Amino acid sequence: MIVRPHRHWFVRLFSWHGSVLPGILFRLGLNLLMSIIAIFCLDWYETLGVKLTLAPFSLLGVSIAIFLGFRNSVCYARFSEARQLWGSLLITCRDIQRQVLAISPADAPRIAALLMAFCYSLKHQLRRTDAREDLNRFLGDEAEDILRRRARTNAIELKISQWLADQRRSGAISDIVYAQLDNSIHQLSLVLGGCERLASVPVPFAYGLLLHRTVYLFCTLLPFALVPDLHYMTPLVSVFIAYSFLSLDTLAEELEMPFGYANNHLPMDAMCTNIEINLLEMNNQRELPEAPVPDRYYRLT
Amino acid sequence: MIVRPHRHWFVRLFSWHGSVLPGILFRLGLNLLMSIIAIFCLDWYETLGVKLTLAPFSLLGVSIAIFLGFRNSVCYARFSEARQLWGSLLITCRDIQRQVLAISPADAPRIAALLMAFCYSLKHQLRRTDAREDLNRFLGDEAEDILRRRARTNAIELKISQWLADQRRSGAISDIVYAQLDNSIHQLSLVLGGCERLASVPVPFAYGLLLHRTVYLFCTLLPFALVPDLHYMTPLVSVFIAYSFLSLDTLAEELEMPFGYANNHLPMDAMCTNIEINLLEMNNQRELPEAPVPDRYYRLT
Amino acid sequence: MIVRPHRHWFVRLFSWHGSVLPGILFRLGLNLLMSIIAIFCLDWYETLGVKLTLAPFSLLGVSIAIFLGFRNSVCYARFSEARQLWGSLLITCRDIQRQVLAISPADAPRIAALLMAFCYSLKHQLRRTDAREDLNRFLGDEAEDILRRRARTNAIELKISQWLADQRRSGAISDIVYAQLDNSIHQLSLVLGGCERLASVPVPFAYGLLLHRTVYLFCTLLPFALVPDLHYMTPLVSVFIAYSFLSLDTLAEELEMPFGYANNHLPMDAMCTNIEINLLEMNNQRELPEAPVPDRYYRLT
Amino acid sequence: MIVRPHRHWFVRLFSWHGSVLPGILFRLGLNLLMSIIAIFCLDWYETLGVKLTLAPFSLLGVSIAIFLGFRNSVCYARFSEARQLWGSLLITCRDIQRQVLAISPADAPRIAALLMAFCYSLKHQLRRTDAREDLNRFLGDEAEDILRRRARTNAIELKISQWLADQRRSGAISDIVYAQLDNSIHQLSLVLGGCERLASVPVPFAYGLLLHRTVYLFCTLLPFALVPDLHYMTPLVSVFIAYSFLSLDTLAEELEMPFGYANNHLPMDAMCTNIEINLLEMNNQRELPEAPVPDRYYRLT
Amino acid sequence: MIVRPHRHWFVRLFSWHGSVLPGILFRLGLNLLMSIIAIFCLDWYETLGVKLTLAPFSLLGVSIAIFLGFRNSVCYARFSEARQLWGSLLITCRDIQRQVLAISPADAPRIAALLMAFCYSLKHQLRRTDAREDLNRFLGDEAEDILRRRARTNAIELKISQWLADQRRSGAISDIVYAQLDNSIHQLSLVLGGCERLASVPVPFAYGLLLHRTVYLFCTLLPFALVPDLHYMTPLVSVFIAYSFLSLDTLAEELEMPFGYANNHLPMDAMCTNIEINLLEMNNQRELPEAPVPDRYYRLT
């Protein structure tokens, strides 16, 4: 994630960081090349009776803008849901910790460790990275048993649930308090299941492919439609239009799967650290991890 | 469902799999034919005083794009809701299993079997396929009784509910724990009822029909409106515009009823296997089914 | 409701059923007439200095399309909410029946009868038809007391609530089970209140009126704007544009109040029968009503 | 609120009631005047080199239509939420009454009176009218204490809560039943807080102002852009376009704050009476107020 | 927040307050300058073969309007969610206070103080201002402990939770009442977590940057595209179009982070005072703070 630098609007116009530009520079270059070809070949191919006018491209361009708007809504909604799930994870961790502190303060540190393991394991599951180090840090010997499983994050949740079941079986808590805490654990299930859903089922593939192709072909043909009217101004206007269409297309694709390391993805490292700080502080620990800070490119991971 | 292959954007432009192309190839061919007819007949029918210009088609095209955008939102919302319901099914199965493991571990395998039967039965109900084999696998002798009924999936839920009622009647669980588990069974009802609703009531028929017709007539007349301006370029531009309109129309139709086997439908086979793996692993079973893998066309069913 | 016939796309183009056409045929005829008048009078009124061009109509047409898109979203959202409420009714009836079977099986048939009476009474209330016959069928002597009241469906819910209160007062069920079942009855309140809200407060009247007028005036003036460009092709293009605008306007109006008998309204008869089948089967009744089947025009009521 | 009269579409075209026309008649007149000035001055100011063409106004008009569509969605969402809150109020009143009838029938009339006082007080609070008469009617002597307070509706809710607390303290109801009823009172809080939120924070002021100005300036300049093309037809087309833009702008403004007496506002008088009828009938009262009927202009207040 | 003054529409046209104008005046001036340059240089640069026409700018302008519409929806949704969270905070504070008054009236003033501290602390956290003064006012000696922590608002919530845990441990309240109040405290968690989510993760940075740049470049080039058609009218139309695009862009940016002091931000000072008044009055305190009143520029902070 790019942390928006609070700079003057004028400086921002030329800022480089956080824009999706790098990914589309090559395609803009191609578009520029096409514009120049169009200027030089115009006279030649018009003698062949080949001509392109802007009117059908206006119709097509506006239609594509409408479809791009739709795709952006859909992909942004996925990004936004992913963010809400991780927000809900912070809320739930604090809630479980708060309830355990109220009910059974002695067990609070162990539950905090399990909750942190849950968060880090979820992060690694979503990014398909190795969870071993983090699980060892929080779970010690128990980590091995978790790492042998396929559904690791769920197995950690099961451990919290088993602690709760033991409390109830031993009579330390009543059925009512059991049910109350079980509801909070259910929230963990919702977060886990929601993230898995977003990660496993993308927007129907055809949407992306369809728009990708249409935008691309549109940008390629556009210079030939602009050149009869604009002549030497074709490259400027053509690259400008291509920039706005291609970058929205690329941005939508980035937001569709928000669990990676790209500029506009969720900063799950920072979020995990933040949850850790919260839980430790609730347990009155003095030594807290550093609060996450964006790097010099304004990026959090 | 097509699992998006992570390939270079340039290769993707020409990828064949997962696009909705096959379903509209014939109609694009027709459009091409119309374009060629338009080029050759232009001189003849203009002498008859018949002419078509692009301006009214621009107005119509943009209007159709707006309506298509609306229809795509509506159909995508159905796809997305179906996906959420199946995501919720996984969450609920894990939750019930977790609660049963906490309350009454001895019954966990039987409840797991009932939950798996519920999922497979729901899949068969939505796809109108034969559930006998799967129900026999999970329920053994009890399967016959289920298969005689009309509302089979609901009958399986009733069996879980009866187990819970027996537990309560025998005093093994208190009313509070009963109510807590009953809430989870209620989640199964929500999933079942939600899927039945999506499967039984489509988007009002007239929307599809209206857009289908309008898009089709628009694409048929378009070449005649383009040809006075574009002449030999008519087929290229006409097929391009037709491609973007027809494929969005076709895609919306596919997403409207997402429970089949089409490219953009939900991979319910894989989802059922995934739930099975999760439940078996929660019961510490060693032999788990293979995780579902897309075939060579990147498809999951 | 029209049940979408699964036919070839080509046959569908010319299908008659389920389209909103009949309601707008007269207006399309009027539009055709205007087009012909425009063709014949063009020379005469242009000599008077009266002329209309397409450009302002493009602006207006696209604006109207945007506003129509907004109105369609709003009206479809009402249709969709109505459908969800009835889906929720099925879920709730099955849930209550399931809970009663678990708690107090002897009373299950009576509660089933009350639930069915609730559904049929709600249907009659929404359609303003006579509920006497259906209430007599399910409630026998009690029906008269219900029929004397103004808020009949609510009175039936009250009867279920009173049964529950009696169970609690007699000590047959604990306060916890009482609260659990009371939550399900609360769901009935939500469905009832939601349907009443949809039926009593339409979309602000001015939206419909405003668009109705604008669409109508637009379609009437359109031929005069098309005729200088298209001449003999005016009727074809004009009727085509009018068809797409008028039918979307008409369809939105139909969906706004989805509780009637029109083609795109909810099939509440079939839904009531479906709930009846489900409840009877849960009580192990052998003789179930026929499952509802669309008539030869693919219609369910 | 205008209750939609079910009349023939043709009669509706010329209906006067319920349209937002009166509020914009003056501005349409201004637009007409501008059109006539434009026709007469065209020759004069064109000699000065001043000219306006339609093309930039098309661009601007479509943009404004998109922004108007956005503003209408936002304002309609507020109207719709207000309607849902009042629908939820009816549901909650019936639910509380139902629960009190089940738990403690003797207190039902007093609770009904408090609920009715809550509804009427909320209405007066939202409309900033005097609640004294209605509160006296339902609360008798207690009314004075309520009227002295700033947060009156909340104080009435507190009275219901206090009754519940007394019941629990005296042991008449268990903690579980207390919690169940407390949940219903919480629903009252949600309705009250939701209505206060809608009433106190409008859509950001700049949206309305921005669109108001843009629409107005657009409509003022439009005739000068139309006149070169349309000449004598300018007034017709210009007033038509202005009508559709100005009335949507005005309608959005009306819907933004739906708690007044305007044509498209919520009929809170009728809703309060309706809740009163429901609660009285649930208490088996014979003499019910008249059901609210729209006046001769089809209006409910 | 600007409190909408209820003035005549005509006066409003020229009102200055609450419009986003000041922030874009400089950019409009720049646009005006460009227009004048365009008028004077037109003849010169056309001789160089450089020309710009309006057609591609129409296509681009409508596309930008669609994307701006999308961005406005997204940013307004954030504003709206922030408002709902603070509305929910008022509801939750009243609910907790109401429940404490019912369960344990003696503790009500202390809980009211903690709730007020929670609200003020949340305000200061979101605005990054110093909470010391307000926390001292409500918490006295306890404030120091809170101020030493990183997650202050959460620590205050923890204090309420601890009070509840003490009540339960001492047997003053049953587990059921504990669970009921714990649910209300969970609501505080939701508000806190929701506000933190909005404040920490903005809309993906690239959206803002992309639109910012596109809108800016569009407005800069626009005069050159308008001048061949409009000549001396270029400045008027160009500034008008730039005004509507730039102010929507600026407004979206303001709404994206609604927790500051800008004109369209949430009036959190007034909201805190309002919650204070409500809680004090529920405790029958006589001396209430003044109700917040907008200043002479109609602004609330």
Side-chain angles (χ1 to χ4, degrees), chain D residues 56, chain E residues 52 54 221-231 234 237-238 241:
Chain E
L52 278 172
L54 194 53
L221 291 180
L222 189 62
F224 298 94
L226 289 173
V227 79
D229 275 16
L230 299 180
H231 219 68
T234 304
V237 174
S238 168
I241 296 182

Side-chain angles (χ1 to χ4, degrees), chain B residues 9 54 121 140 170-171 211 214 297:
Chain B
W9 62 267
L54 194 53
S121 168
S170 71
L211 269 171
T214 317
Y297 302 110

Side-chain angles (χ1 to χ4, degrees), chain C residues 113-114 117 134-143 146 156 159:
Chain C
L114 282 167
D134 281 320
L135 291 195
N136 276 328
R137 183 152 69 95
F138 293 116
L139 300 183
D141 298 344
E142 289 175 302
I146 301 290
I156 297 174
K159 280 202 175 291

Side-chain angles (χ1 to χ4, degrees), chain B residues 18 24 32 36 42 48 74 87 92 96 98 103-104 107 151 180 182 202 216 260:
Chain B
I24 63 169
L32 188 63
I36 294 167
L42 177 63
L48 300 179
V74 163
T92 305
I96 292 180
R98 183 173 56 70
I103 298 299
S104 171
D107 290 328
Q180 185 75 355
D182 190 69
Y216 197 77

